Every structure is written in C-alpha cells, then in structure tokens.
Amino acid sequence: ETAWAQSVFEGFLLEEAESIVRRELARQATYQPKVEVRVEGDASVRTLVVDVTPGPRAERINVGLDGVDERLRSDLLKEVGDREHAAQALTNPQEYERTLLAALRARGYARASISVGNPVFEETMATVPVIVNPGPQLRFGVVSFEGADSIPLDQLRAEAGLEDGAPYRADEVATA
C-alpha cells in the first residue's frame, strides 16, 4: 500500500512539474519544447530531474475569434486583443475565457460560451483558436418603475441608467 501511495504521489509530482515548465515556456511564447521529467535515486534519496530543450519562440501571438460577426469580433478584440490578453490566451486559457465571457456579458450576451483551443505555431507566430458562441443578445424591454410616483419618470430613467432596448447587463441592474 505504501509503494502504491508513493507511486501515485510521484505520478502527480511528475505531471505537476511538467505542467509548470510547459506553462512557463508557453508564457515565453516558446513552442515545440522537449520536456522530460523523471525521478531518480533510491528509496532514501529521490531527485526530481527536469530536462528542457526549448523550441523556437513566437514573436507574435494572434487570437483567432471564430463564431462572431465582424462587428462583435472588432469590439472584443479592442478589449481583449492586446498583447497582454493574447499572451493570457496562450498561457492561462481558463482566465482568458473568464475575461472574454465578462466582455461578452457586458454587451448583453448573458448566455455566451467560450472554448479556447490549443495554440497553433507557424514560423514566428502563435495562433490561439477561440470558438465563441455568443448566444442571443439579451435586451431590456420596457423598463418600468413602481412605487416612485413622486419622481419624474425621465429622472428615474436617467438615474437608473436602464433604457428600453439597451443590452442587458446584470451589474447595471444590481447598481440600479
């Protein structure tokens, strides 16, 4: 049982060590690296050995947004298409998904879903494929106010910031 527990722990250790090295290489836009991780030694002294041969570096990172029209693509890339966000798509796809979902939800796409694929490297450029399913853009219908008869409707609308037909944003509803 002890040997089994050690072998399971060792397997996780090897996986985690390789994952850490590959994330750092990806952060540096290095692609096609060779990473070998192993444990050497006897039962009394064990050593984690990591052999790394980095591959070439991508000089440019491109995020390919598929599944959205050109207007929405342009809007999203203005917000999350800079070098920092592109690097995030390469090194931390889950965080990039959250960032992109927040940008979509801010535009009323409350049911959007995102899938960040594995990067494709060509010469000096890394392309991160991102599939976007924005879903329907939710909009406010007629906005009405109850219990505020003493305040003019125009003033209420201006202060609440909720306009008929505007894209639905949960954060705006909460602050209204």
Side-chain angles (χ1 to χ4, degrees), residues 45-65:
V45 178
R46 309 280 289 159
T47 304
L48 176 65
V49 179
V50 181
D51 290 324
V52 178
T53 306
R57 294 184 89 185
E59 295 172 11
R60 293 184 358 219
I61 303 170
N62 177 47
V63 175
L65 295 178

Side-chain angles (χ1 to χ4, degrees), residues 21-85:
V21 170
R22 288 192 180 278
R23 274 195 310 268
E24 178 59 23
L25 290 168
R27 190 185 67 71
Q28 297 173 16
T30 301
Y31 61 97
Q32 298 175 333
K34 181 179 176 188
V35 179
E36 292 182 17
V37 182
R38 64 186 178 283
V39 175
E40 294 180 345
D42 58 26
S44 62
V45 178
R46 309 280 289 159
T47 304
L48 176 65
V49 179
V50 181
D51 290 324
V52 178
T53 306
R57 294 184 89 185
E59 295 172 11
R60 293 184 358 219
I61 303 170
N62 177 47
V63 175
L65 295 178
D66 292 325
V68 293
D69 63 36
E70 193 55 43
R71 183 191 56 76
L72 182 55
R73 176 187 281 100
S74 176
D75 285 351
L76 291 172
L77 288 176
K78 285 177 190 169
E79 191 167 335
V80 296
D82 60 13
R83 173 94 178 149
E84 180 182 332
H85 283 100

Side-chain angles (χ1 to χ4, degrees), residues 65-126:
L65 295 178
D66 292 325
V68 293
D69 63 36
E70 193 55 43
R71 183 191 56 76
L72 182 55
R73 176 187 281 100
S74 176
D75 285 351
L76 291 172
L77 288 176
K78 285 177 190 169
E79 191 167 335
V80 296
D82 60 13
R83 173 94 178 149
E84 180 182 332
H85 283 100
Q88 183 186 57
L90 188 65
T91 61
N92 191 345
Q94 294 84 7
E95 185 61 30
Y96 186 76
E97 282 182 18
R98 283 190 288 276
T99 302
L100 193 53
L101 277 172
L104 284 162
R105 290 189 175 131
R107 288 165 174 77
Y109 295 97
R111 296 184 183 143
S113 63
I114 309 290
S115 174
V116 178
N118 292 324
V120 176
F121 296 96
E122 294 178 23
E123 296 182 21
T124 61
M125 184 166 69

